[in-house]
Amino acid sequence: MHIDSLDHLVLTVHDIEATCDFYTRVLGMQVVTFGHGRKALSYGSQKINLHQRGKEFEPKAAAPTPGSADLCFLTSLSLEEVIKHIKACQVDIIEGPVPRSGASGPILSIYLRDPDHNLLEIANRVTT
């Protein structure tokens, strides 16, 4: 068995429209409509499918809960630019920049929360 990459993940949210607004306005993702009106957030070659709490699609996680995710996104923009943009969007940065360990090496990260209070980490790879 060999896994190559992550195709998509699912976030269960209280309000799909508020989630779409945040992720497009603050993180620059694109809203995609698929299936029978389902919504997803697209970025790079991945996407985040959205499930409305109480109206999840089957099959689903055993205990889908808004606010339970902890996600790290990599960006090629400087964290200085990212911080300026996030502040302009009137979103609080709760920590950072701080050094962390990413999947393929060191990263420099900031942390914020989405409308459901999921923890979002935005990071730059650190080149040595």
Side-chain angles (χ1 to χ4, degrees):
M1 178 62 175
H2 176 79
I3 301 296
D4 291 321
S5 64
L6 179 69
D7 180 77
H8 72 276
L9 59 89
V10 176
L11 279 183
T12 300
V13 301
H14 286 106
D15 183 333
I16 288 179
E17 292 309 314
T19 299
C20 288
D21 173 67
F22 178 89
Y23 280 81
T24 58
R25 184 174 49 84
V26 178
L27 299 183
M29 295 184 184
Q30 302 295 315
V31 175
V32 176
T33 303
F34 67 103
H36 297 286
R38 292 180 61 188
K39 299 287 183 186
L41 300 160
S42 176
Y43 61 99
S45 61
Q46 294 86 34
K47 69 176 182 160
I48 300 171
N49 290 350
L50 301 175
H51 285 188
Q52 180 85 36
R53 184 175 189 207
K55 299 178 183 176
E56 298 87 1
F57 293 90
E58 296 292 342
K60 63 180 184 280
T65 306
S68 64
D70 183 340
L71 306 172
C72 179
F73 298 104
L74 295 172
T75 181
S76 58
L77 294 175
S78 73
L79 279 189
E80 181 178 280
E81 291 176 81
V82 171
I83 291 167
K84 184 177 178 180
H85 172 73
I86 289 170
K87 287 182 177 180
C89 291
Q90 300 181 336
V91 173
D92 292 331
I93 295 170
I94 60 173
E95 188 173 345
V98 292
R100 296 290 189 244
S101 294
S104 62
I107 56 177
L108 188 63
S109 302
I110 61 168
Y111 293 86
L112 56 140
R113 294 198 184 273
D114 74 5
D116 287 294
H117 305 288
N118 292 302
L119 183 64
L120 305 179
E121 181 179 356
I122 312 298
N124 286 152
R125 285 191 171 104
V126 175
T127 55
T128 55

